[in-house]
Amino acid sequence: MMKNDITIKNKLGLGTAPLGNMFREVPEDEAMETIQSAWNEGIRYFDTAPFYGAGLAEMRLGEILSSYKRDDYLLSSKVGRIILDEEEEKEGLFEYGRKNKIRTDYTESGTLQSIEDSLKRLKTDRLDMVFVHDLSPDFLGDEWITKFDEARKGAFNVLDRLRDEGVIKAWGLGVNTTTPIEVALELEEAHPDLSLSATQYTLLQHERALERMMPLAQKNDGGLVIGGAFNSGALFGGDYFDYKEITPDIKERVARFNDVAKNHGVNLKDAALQFSTAHPAVKAVVTGSTRPDRIKEDLQALEANIPAAFWEELVEKELISAKAALPGSRK
């Protein structure tokens, strides 16, 4: 039974992966100031996950949000990983997070435990949306199909039930590839109604999503939250694209986007956020930062004037798909 009547204020949420010390050690006061600043600017949707710093992002978010009325904001976290008390040396994205070991678990009992643990760290009594995290080939390799089966019998059933009982408002997948969302949307026995798609419906990368994921989301009343709208900073000349080192061909595409943006006096951040929110299946974009002033910047980006000629030139130069939903010109 899909409801999917969630409305997210400003179509913008705060993504908290950076607050789990992704790529660097973020001082506590900087993390707190970022969350507080998001609240002060009117952000009322916050997305987090146990994976972000082995619980660190959830704990930091809980510190600030627990002082506000729970009905005043929307909160999503994720299932699929249990944070253990045992510690280990870390490497990779969250090398600077907490040292706790993490167990991958998409079973029914693992899903319920994950939610319970998240509620404690977040100092709250409920989650609004729950995403099944990284159930995808980029994290699990060939094992993803076995794990998907585990989730189909475990996590999906539990989350369907919790949604139908009104315990949560919506559930879906939270992944960096399109296939798992597409497969889940076509299942007969489970009914995801809101998924988080990171890096796949962006100015730089959206052709694949437009083929199946976006039409399926619309057909099945399955909304989407878009994460990674800047593809790990690649759009702004960063060294990473989708969490990996950027390649020369992506750099060349970014340069072509910059040329078109200069022609029309357009800021690429404004264009990226407006593009990702323009599709009718998209409920919101979540942006992550550890810099308090970025939140205001993102909100302003959604309101910036972008001439229709800018979008037309991008389509003409085949930098964006002619099938994409384009933001309306606000001259």
Side-chain angles (χ1 to χ4, degrees), residues 88-306:
E88 63 181 358
E89 277 310 303
K90 295 281 180 176
E91 52 181 40
L93 286 179
F94 294 103
E95 183 184 340
Y96 302 99
R98 294 165 76 224
K99 301 286 184 203
N100 301 59
K101 267 190 173 175
I102 297 175
R103 185 180 85 233
T104 303
D105 189 334
Y106 296 104
T107 63
E108 178 170 344
S109 59
T111 299
L112 291 168
Q113 188 189 333
S114 181
I115 292 172
E116 200 177 309
D117 293 348
S118 287
L119 294 177
K120 285 179 193 153
R121 287 189 290 266
L122 287 159
K123 299 184 173 180
T124 187
D125 62 347
R126 69 183 187 273
L127 297 173
D128 297 294
M129 295 89 90
V130 177
F131 302 121
V132 183
H133 206 191
D134 291 330
L135 186 57
S136 174
D138 59 318
F139 266 89
L140 300 167
D142 292 342
E143 205 195 347
W144 90 270
I145 295 179
T146 311
K147 288 290 180 190
F148 192 94
D149 204 47
E150 179 178 289
R152 192 171 57 80
K153 294 169 185 160
F156 295 2
N157 281 338
V158 178
L159 296 172
D160 241 14
R161 188 179 77 233
L162 292 178
R163 195 255 334 275
D164 292 349
E165 288 170 358
V167 177
I168 59 175
K169 290 186 167 77
W171 74 272
L173 276 66
V175 288
N176 305 321
T177 59
T178 60
T179 307
I181 293 174
E182 293 159 8
V183 175
L185 281 168
E186 292 189 294
L187 291 175
E188 280 180 27
E189 74 275 24
H191 310 96
D193 50 357
L194 186 71
S195 287
L196 195 158
S197 173
T199 73
Q200 297 299 306
Y201 194 72
T202 68
L203 206 51
L204 275 178
Q205 179 166 264
H206 54 269
E207 297 268 2
R208 174 69 206 264
L210 281 169
E211 276 169 37
R212 288 192 73 229
M213 183 174 76
M214 308 310 271
L216 275 171
Q218 282 182 282
K219 182 184 156 198
N220 295 286
D221 296 329
L224 292 165
V225 171
I226 303 299
F230 314 129
N231 295 100
S232 306
L235 194 63
F236 311 134
D239 298 326
Y240 293 92
F241 174 77
D242 293 0
Y243 316 108
K244 296 188 183 100
E245 209 169 307
I246 195 165
T247 57
D249 61 317
I250 301 278
K251 277 190 174 175
E252 192 266 333
R253 279 195 74 222
V254 171
R256 292 176 66 204
F257 270 101
N258 274 309
D259 289 343
V260 179
K262 274 184 197 145
N263 287 349
H264 299 277
V266 167
N267 180 322
L268 274 182
K269 178 185 245 195
D270 301 351
L273 288 177
Q274 290 191 28
F275 178 85
S276 288
T277 50
H279 195 285
V282 174
K283 297 279 185 181
V285 169
V286 289
T287 58
S289 180
T290 54
R291 306 221 168 101
D293 53 341
R294 285 277 160 83
I295 317 296
K296 182 180 271 191
E297 215 176 84
D298 293 348
L299 283 164
Q300 287 168 346
L302 286 167
E303 294 303 318
N305 285 313
I306 297 180

